[in-house]
Structure formats: structure tokens, C-alpha cells
């Protein structure tokens, strides 16, 4: 079928201006609608997991609650601190939203389709380095948070912005290295070509049996997929990595001084980034707009026409559900635990996996295209990664209090008493003997002294 053709880089740049405008408006509407529904979806799912009814008053199933909250926030008083940098304070929320929206422009939503008689790919544009554009937009989004915290002229927003910059830098490295494995296997950085590279599965000869493995990089590059998803959770400031706005430590983080529409823009940017990163994950690792193998086996036309857009939306919704699931399940990490996970766990594992994958790519038989070693190596590293990150069932026994006190470094703060009894101060004077009660009344003890004497 001609409409099921995979787009190439030569298919972009030939659309009329009105068709480009339609695509841009569609991508913008997709980001906005997914954001509104994402807020409603998160609150409903979290309420369901917590055995609560959730949103059920405004509209059917509470669908209008997010719209009502947006209108209420828009009419709130817009307060600007006296010490704030007014220009930067005003534009900082828009930076985060624009960067998240821009990354959706290179996401393929489907194959070649016909729109008003014009054959065009269901994608705004594509370039040979489209994945680098996604990484650049993800890295630029931190500027909105850092500038918002700095321009507020307050201490707590500044601390939240600085912590966010350290967080982004830490997980940008792991996310970039995860994508390197996709480049090595697909041989391209174009998003449409990466989806095309996952079109068909491969047959592997494992001795007496032949195995038909799917072409999804989530299975072929399992360690990269796991590390990439953990990295995007940290990039989007989602739980359990929502440290820039840790209310228990920083009031509300970088957005403490914001109100009204500017506060809503910061909240909007978080959900747009979550949808954009879910779309990027589906494109890089889950076959993009292509239907899963059981559907394509039963229905030959599953990847033709406008149906691929449905499969793509389903994958994005499932990934957003995982984001919400993590928020309802895991507690917030401490800052040192978060940085240790990024620099001392994910980064070394990613480096070892990339080197192993490069060695396997060189050592494989190029004539037959046998990649069974790549698959086996990927599953092996994935099992090692799960073993390292899997929580242990037994807790190490606590040391006795005396050993804990002795092992403390010199100059540490004093330990409070365990029996909650405050010892007497050595500086206080205390009477050893009981004092005699003073005679203050008249009678047997004598008369009161004369005031005049």
C-alpha cells in the first residue's frame, strides 16, 4: 500500500505553507490537550491507587476540573517581588514551555499520508540530527527553571534553581549515552529513520532453534532503555526525583514567588515535558508509530493510513501512566541518593554497556548479520542492572549505639539523650541541702516588718 511507506529525509521540505501551518497547529494542540488531560489523568490514577474517588464533580468523570483550575489560576492576582528582575522573571516560565513544545516538532506521528491531496509525512520536520535537537531542547529547558529561581530575588527559589541545574547536568549525561546505543544499531540520528529501522524483527540462530526477535530497541537495547527512562524521569523533575520543588526543604522550590499565569506556565511545562519525553521514548525504543507484533500479524493494514497515529498515542499514554505510577508508589529521594544514582550507578553501567555493544558490533559476522551476541549481551547487562537497582529484602542490622558513637568523625554534633531526659547543666548552681521555708505571714512566726523602718 503506497500510504504505508516510511518517510525519508527527502520527503520533508516540500509541503505548502498552509500544510506546514496545519502540522504546527496540530502539534501545539496535541501538547496542550495532552497537558490538560495529563493533569486530570494523574489525579484520577493517583486517587484510584489511593482508594479515593478523585475528580468527579466538574463535568463527566471530572474532565472539566483541570479547565476550571486553569481559569481560576488565570484570574488570580499576579504578584511580582520588589527585588525581582522583572524582564527575566516574566520570560523564564515561557522558556521552559517553548523548549518542551519545540521537541515535539521532530517526533513522527505516522507514515506518509494524504492530506487534501498532498502526500506528506505525519511529522512537522526531520533533520539528520533530529535526536540531538530533542536532547538540546531538554537541556535548554533547565534555563527557564534556573532563571526563574534567580530572577525571583529570593533565597529559596535560588536554591531550587541551582539544585535543578545540578540535577539536569547529572542525568543529561546518562540520557545522551543511552541514545548512543540507538545510533550505533540504527546507523542514523533521524527520528523517522530510527522508526524505520525498527520496522521488522530479526531472526536469530540460537543453536537448535530459531528465534524471531522484534525490532524494538527496548528489547534489543534493554539496558539503554531502562537507563533512558530513569534519566527522563529525573530530567522532567518527576517523583521520586522532584527535588527542585521539594516542599519539605525549599517551600516550593524555584516557583515560590510565582503566581497566576506564570505559575501555571511552570506547571504546564512539567507536563508538556513529560508528554514530549514519553513521545521520544516511544520513538527511540518502542517502534514509534508502528503497531506491536501481534496486531501486525493479524491485520496487514495496521501500519497504513491514519491508524499508526492511534498506536503512537497508546504508547505515549502507557508511558505517562508509568510516570504517574512512580509518583504514587515511590517516596522522594534525598539529594545525595539522587546524585549517587546518576553518577555512581547509571553512568558506569552505561559506559560499560556502550563499550560492550561497540565490541559486539565489531566482532559480529557482517556477512550474515548475526546479532545474537548483541541480544544476549543486552539481556545480560539488563539483568545485572536490575540486580543492582532491585531493593534488597533484608535490612542490614543496626550497629549498637556505642559503636555508632565511636565511629562518628571528630567534630560531629552531640547526640541527644536516648531516654529523652536532659542532663543537668554543669554551670548551674544547685543547693545541696533543702532550704528553710521563709516566714511571710504574721502570727506565731513574728510580726511583719514596718514599711517605714
Amino acid at each position: 500500500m503506497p500510504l504505508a511507506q516510511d518517510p525519508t529525509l527527502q520527503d520533508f521540505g516540500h509541503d505548502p505553507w498552509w500544510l506546514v501551518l496545519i502540522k504546527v497547529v496540530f502539534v501545539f494542540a496535541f501538547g496542550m490537550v495532552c497537558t490538560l488531560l495529563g493533569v486530570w489523568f494523574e489525579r484520577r490514577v493517583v486517587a484510584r491507587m489511593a482508594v479515593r474517588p478523585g475528580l468527579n464533580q466538574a463535568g463527566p468523570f471530572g474532565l472539566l476540573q483541570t479547565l476550571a483550575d486553569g481559569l481560576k489560576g488565570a484570574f488570580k492576582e499576579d504578584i511580582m517581588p520588589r527585588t525581582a528582575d522583572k524582564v527575566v522573571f516574566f520570560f523564564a516560565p515561557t522558556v521552559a514551555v517553548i523548549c518542551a513544545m519545540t521537541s515535539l516538532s521532530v517526533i513522527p506521528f505516522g507514515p506518509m499520508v494524504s492530506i487534501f491531496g498532498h502526500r506528506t509525512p505525519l511529522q512537522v520536520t526531520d533533520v539528520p540530527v533530529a535526536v540531538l535537537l530533542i536532547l538540546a531542547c531538554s537541556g535548554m529547558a533547565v534555563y527557564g527553571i534556573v532563571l526563574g529561581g534567580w530572577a525571583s530575588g529570593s533565597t529559596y527559589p535560588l536554591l531550587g534553581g541551582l539544585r535543578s541545574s545540578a540535577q539536569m547536568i547529572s542525568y543529561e549525561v546518562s540520557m545522551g549515552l543511552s541514545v548512543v546505543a540507538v545510533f550505533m544499531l540504527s546507523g542514523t540520528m533521524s527520528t523517522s529513520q530510527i522508526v524505520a529501522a525498527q520496522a521488522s524483527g530479526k531472526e536469530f540462530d540460537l543453536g537448535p532453534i530459531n528465534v524471531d526477535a522484534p525490532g524494538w530497541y527496548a528489547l534489543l537495547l534493554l539496558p539503554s532503555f531502562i537507563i533512558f527512562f530513569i534519566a527522563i524521569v529525573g530530567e522532567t523533575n518527576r517523583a521520586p526525583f522532584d527535588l527542585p520543588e521539594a516542599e519539605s526543604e525549599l517551600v516550593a522550590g524555584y516557583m515560590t514567588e510565582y503566581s497566576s499565569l506564570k505559575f501555571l506556565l511552570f506547571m504546564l511545562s512539567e507536563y508538556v515535558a513529560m508528554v514530549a519525553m514519553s513521545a521520544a521514548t516511544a520513538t527511540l525504543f518502542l517502534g514509534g508509530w508502528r503497531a506491536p507484533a501481534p496486531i501486525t500479524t493479524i491485520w496487514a493494514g495496521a501500519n497504513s493510513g491514519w491508524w499508526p497515529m492511534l498506536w503512537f498515542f497508546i504508547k505515549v499514554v502507557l508511558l505517562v501512566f508509568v510516570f504517574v505510577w512512580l509518583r504514587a508508589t515511590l517516596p522522594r529521594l534525598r539529594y545525595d541518593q539522587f546524585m549517587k544514582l546518576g553518577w555512581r550507578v547509571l553512568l558506569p553501567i552505561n559506559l560499560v554497556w556502550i563499550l560492550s555493544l561497540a565490541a559486539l558490533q565489531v566482532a559480529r559476522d557482517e556477512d550474515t548479520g548475526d546479532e545474537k551476541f548483541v541480544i544476549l549481551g543486552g539481556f545480560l547487562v539488563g539483568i545485572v542492572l536490575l540486580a543492582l537497582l532491585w531493593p534488597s529484602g533484608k535490612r542490614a542490622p543496626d550497629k549498637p549505639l556505642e559503636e555508632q558513637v565511636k565511629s562518628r568523625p571528630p567534630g560531629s554534633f552531640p547526640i541527644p539523650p536516648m531516654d529523652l531526659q536532659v542532663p543537668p547543666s554543669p554551670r548551674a548552681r544547685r543547693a545541696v541541702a533543702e532550704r528553710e521555708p521563709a516566714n511571710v505571714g504574721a502570727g506565731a512566726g513574728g510580726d511583719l516588718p514596718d514599711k517605714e523602718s
Side-chain angles (χ1 to χ4, degrees):
M1 187 175 279
L3 294 182
Q5 177 186 355
D6 288 296
T8 61
L9 291 175
Q10 288 73 25
D11 295 324
F12 295 92
H14 307 292
D15 296 332
W17 66 269
W18 55 267
L19 188 55
V20 176
L21 183 61
I22 290 176
K23 290 183 179 181
V24 172
V25 172
F26 169 76
V27 169
F28 179 78
F30 170 77
M32 295 298 297
V33 172
C34 287
T35 300
L36 293 177
L37 294 180
V39 177
W40 169 84
F41 180 76
E42 179 175 13
R43 296 172 72 177
R44 288 284 295 187
V45 172
V46 171
R48 183 73 174 178
M49 291 180 176
V51 197
R52 293 185 287 108
L55 309 177
N56 57 5
Q57 299 298 317
F61 305 103
L63 284 170
L64 299 180
Q65 185 63 53
T66 305
L67 181 61
D69 292 341
L71 293 175
K72 180 181 69 175
F75 287 101
K76 291 283 187 179
E77 182 181 3
D78 190 5
I79 301 174
M80 181 174 293
R82 184 176 301 175
T83 58
D85 189 316
K86 295 179 174 53
V87 177
V88 180
F89 186 84
F90 179 81
F91 284 105
T94 61
V95 173
V97 178
I98 292 174
C99 291
M101 284 289 188
T102 304
S103 61
L104 290 174
S105 62
V106 294
I107 298 296
F109 290 85
M112 299 289 293
V113 296
S114 178
I115 301 179
F116 299 114
H118 292 269
R119 293 189 67 249
T120 179
L122 275 177
Q123 186 176 352
V124 176
T125 185
D126 194 10
V127 291
V129 289
V131 180
L132 297 184
L133 176 63
I134 298 177
L135 296 178
C137 291
S138 175
M140 289 290 292
V142 70
Y143 280 91
I145 296 175
V146 174
L147 292 177
W150 172 81
S152 299
S154 181
T155 303
Y156 287 113
L158 179 60
L159 291 177
L162 292 177
R163 285 171 37 144
S164 178
S165 62
Q167 173 176 333
M168 295 288 187
I169 293 172
S170 301
Y171 282 78
E172 277 283 343
V173 179
S174 297
M175 186 169 66
L177 287 176
S178 302
V179 179
V180 169
V182 177
F183 299 160
M184 294 171 60
L185 215 58
S186 63
T188 179
M189 296 184 186
S190 169
T191 52
S192 61
Q193 301 309 303
I194 290 176
V195 174
Q198 304 176 67
S200 59
K202 303 178 189 290
E203 184 177 349
F204 299 96
D205 183 13
L206 300 179
I209 59 175
N210 293 330
V211 178
D212 292 330
W216 288 9
Y217 292 151
L219 299 177
L220 300 179
L221 303 173
L222 181 62
S224 297
F225 173 66
I226 296 175
I227 295 175
F228 183 84
F229 193 81
I230 295 175
I232 65 173
V233 174
E235 281 284 304
T236 53
N237 300 328
R238 295 286 303 178
F241 304 142
D242 53 341
L243 296 173
E245 47 179 317
E247 295 88 352
S248 59
E249 306 169 16
L250 299 172
V251 186
Y254 58 91
M255 60 175 67
T256 301
E257 304 292 347
Y258 280 88
S259 59
S260 189
L261 283 176
K262 291 192 283 292
F263 177 81
L264 294 179
L265 283 177
F266 269 128
M267 299 299 295
L268 177 70
S269 65
E270 177 181 331
Y271 285 91
V272 174
M274 182 171 63
V275 173
M277 288 294 103
S278 298
T281 305
T283 301
L284 297 175
F285 293 97
L286 299 180
W289 44 264
R290 296 188 177 276
I295 298 178
T296 55
T297 304
I298 300 172
W299 181 18
N303 291 327
S304 61
W306 294 85
W307 287 107
M309 188 180 295
L310 176 62
W311 318 132
F312 181 78
F313 288 165
I314 292 175
K315 294 175 184 179
V316 172
V317 171
L318 291 178
L319 289 172
V320 172
F321 173 77
V322 177
F323 275 92
V324 178
W325 192 4
L326 292 176
R327 178 169 185 174
T329 306
L330 300 178
R332 178 183 293 133
L333 271 68
R334 292 199 319 264
Y335 193 71
D336 60 323
Q337 294 173 337
F338 178 70
M339 301 300 286
K340 178 182 178 181
L341 176 65
W343 289 106
R344 299 180 61 181
V345 178
L346 298 183
L347 184 59
I349 292 177
N350 215 338
L351 290 173
V352 172
W353 164 240
I354 293 297
L355 293 176
S356 303
L357 181 62
L360 291 172
Q361 286 285 91
V362 174
R364 70 175 184 171
D365 188 0
E366 297 181 357
D367 296 332
T368 60
D370 190 4
E371 298 179 356
K372 61 182 179 180
F373 297 106
V374 178
I375 304 299
L376 294 177
F379 276 103
L380 180 61
V381 177
I383 293 174
V384 173
L385 178 63
L386 289 176
L388 291 175
L389 299 179
W390 195 266
S392 58
K394 295 183 179 180
R395 182 181 176 183
D398 296 334
K399 297 180 180 180
L401 183 60
E402 292 77 8
E403 295 184 8
Q404 296 181 18
V405 173
K406 293 180 180 179
S407 61
R408 297 172 74 243
S412 302
F413 288 98
I415 299 178
M418 295 295 103
D419 54 0
L420 300 181
Q421 294 182 2
V422 180
S425 175
R427 299 181 181 179
R429 288 186 174 182
R430 298 187 177 274
V432 180
E434 185 179 357
R435 292 189 301 174
E436 299 262 347
N439 292 327
V440 295
D447 298 332
L448 289 174
D450 193 1
K451 293 182 180 180
E452 297 180 357
S453 62

